[in-house]
Amino acid sequence: MMPGKGRRWLWALVAVVVTALVWGVVIVVAGHPAAGATAGTADLRGYHTVDDLCTATDYTPLTGRGFTVSPSEDGMKNPSASTFRHAALDQMGCDIAFLVPGSKDAKYPVTASLGISAVLHKQSDPGPEFAAAYQSQVTGDFTNDFPQSKVTRVPGLADDAYQVVQPNTEQYPRTDVKLFIRDGWMVYSITFYEERGSDETNATIPSESDALAMLTTIAKSGMAKLKS
């Protein structure tokens, strides 16, 4: 049974939030203490913490395609941003739910969710563990974290970057793509998730390649704003 019309976007948003939390924790706890590292030697490359990551996010690649931000409901603000500051690292998060073009008049309008997180490591270098975590997925030596997903390294994007694509199926038509980026001691992740029911044939669901292209554009813009 599909969730009710008024709560549909909450379900999609939860899927993105859970993914961001799981992988945010993995990267956060995996930081490798550098010899003699202090806040003064952290390789942050000009990145700084902001109070609202959503305002530092340009999501026009989505709204330009007809996606509209869902209204806040049931006491859940949309967009929703959070920031946590600590001597060891700062964490920022943003979650946005959208109504999908072509599904406005459907019984259950299709929703899409965009989840973003940025972590500034101030006392440890996340680089070695970041690479090891995703390279194990690329080689197929360790696949428990993203079952049935395709993990691919993205060359030329910051110091290290990986994309994760969850396969689309006839039974569960969806677009579920993730992009994880490390630039110095900053780790930036962005997730796009959208699915529809069998009665929602008019909804526009971006292809995996289109979604990844949008995520890359949004990520590059967002990372630049964290330096401005």
Side-chain angles (χ1 to χ4, degrees), residues 124-145:
S124 61
D125 177 7
E129 283 81 3
F130 180 90
Y134 294 105
Q135 286 175 8
S136 66
Q137 306 288 330
V138 172
T139 60
D141 294 332
F142 188 79
T143 58
N144 292 331
D145 298 300

Side-chain angles (χ1 to χ4, degrees), residues 42-45 47 119-121 124-128 130 158-160 181-187 223 227:
D43 184 13
L44 295 179
R45 304 186 182 182
Y47 291 106
V119 179
L120 304 185
H121 295 256
S124 61
D125 177 7
F130 180 90
D159 286 337
D160 206 5
I181 306 168
R182 181 186 65 80
D183 194 17
W185 289 17
M186 191 278 294
V187 174
M223 290 167 65
K227 285 188 174 183

Side-chain angles (χ1 to χ4, degrees), residues 22-96:
V22 170
W23 275 89
V25 169
V26 169
I27 298 303
V28 166
V29 302
H32 184 278
T38 66
T41 61
D43 184 13
L44 295 179
R45 304 186 182 182
Y47 291 106
H48 62 274
T49 304
V50 297
D51 292 327
D52 190 331
L53 186 60
C54 292
T55 61
T57 300
D58 180 2
Y59 42 84
T60 53
L62 283 168
T63 57
R65 287 173 171 247
F67 288 79
T68 57
V69 177
S70 300
S72 300
E73 59 183 60
D74 292 344
M76 192 169 188
K77 184 180 178 182
N78 185 51
S80 177
S82 59
T83 296
F84 173 76
R85 290 177 170 83
H86 190 274
L89 56 84
D90 291 348
Q91 300 178 71
M92 296 163 277
C94 169
D95 299 294
I96 310 171

Side-chain angles (χ1 to χ4, degrees), residues 100-181:
V100 175
S103 72
K104 181 178 180 181
D105 298 325
K107 182 178 180 180
Y108 299 116
V110 183
T111 57
S113 296
L114 185 70
I116 306 158
S117 70
V119 179
L120 304 185
H121 295 256
K122 297 184 286 187
Q123 295 184 3
S124 61
D125 177 7
E129 283 81 3
F130 180 90
Y134 294 105
Q135 286 175 8
S136 66
Q137 306 288 330
V138 172
T139 60
D141 294 332
F142 188 79
T143 58
N144 292 331
D145 298 300
F146 293 113
Q148 300 180 343
S149 294
K150 182 178 180 181
V151 182
T152 310
R153 190 171 188 273
V154 182
L157 183 56
D159 286 337
D160 206 5
Y162 295 85
Q163 65 185 34
V164 180
V165 177
Q166 184 73 20
N168 180 33
T169 65
E170 183 177 350
Q171 184 178 7
Y172 298 106
R174 62 187 172 184
T175 299
D176 184 354
V177 296
K178 308 168 183 66
L179 185 62
F180 301 92
I181 306 168

